Amino acid sequence: MEPRLTADFWVRAYLTRLRLADIPAFVTSKGDPTAGAVLIKLNTLDGQARLWQRSFDLDGTRIWTVLAEGEEMQVDESVTRQRSFDPDLWVIEVEDRAGRTLLDEEGLSG
């Protein structure tokens, strides 16, 4: 079993990686520092957005899955619904016209 990082530690590391790649990102909802779930919203600055959540595949490996995509307003509504179910939820908004989130990079993939 791989060690689990606290949500706060993971979020800080992720924001640092994004900053080093010159990709703007903001915490729009701060969740539980220890075990809060994390959503990543990508705003492509053209009215479109995509929302990822961490989940597990059949082998128990952490992966990122797309929870919602389309018009930014619809994606924001999905975030609002998720927050109504889980008040300890972290939401990070990434702004990148090229659609980069770095979620597929080593150490961030799950």
Side-chain angles (χ1 to χ4, degrees), residues 28-46:
T28 59
S29 178
K30 187 173 182 177
D32 181 273
T34 304
V38 179
L39 296 180
I40 306 295
K41 176 189 167 191
L42 171 66
N43 180 349
T44 52
L45 305 172
D46 61 357

Side-chain angles (χ1 to χ4, degrees), residues 2-58:
E2 67 183 62
R4 297 218 175 160
L5 301 174
T6 65
D8 180 63
F9 184 88
W10 188 91
V11 166
R12 285 186 285 125
Y14 181 56
L15 291 173
T16 298
R17 287 249 193 122
L18 291 166
R19 186 177 66 248
L20 291 172
D22 292 323
I23 301 171
F26 313 91
V27 175
T28 59
S29 178
K30 187 173 182 177
D32 181 273
T34 304
V38 179
L39 296 180
I40 306 295
K41 176 189 167 191
L42 171 66
N43 180 349
T44 52
L45 305 172
D46 61 357
Q48 299 294 302
R50 183 175 289 155
L51 184 67
W52 283 270
Q53 69 177 353
R54 282 197 296 186
S55 59
F56 295 91
D57 67 10
L58 295 176

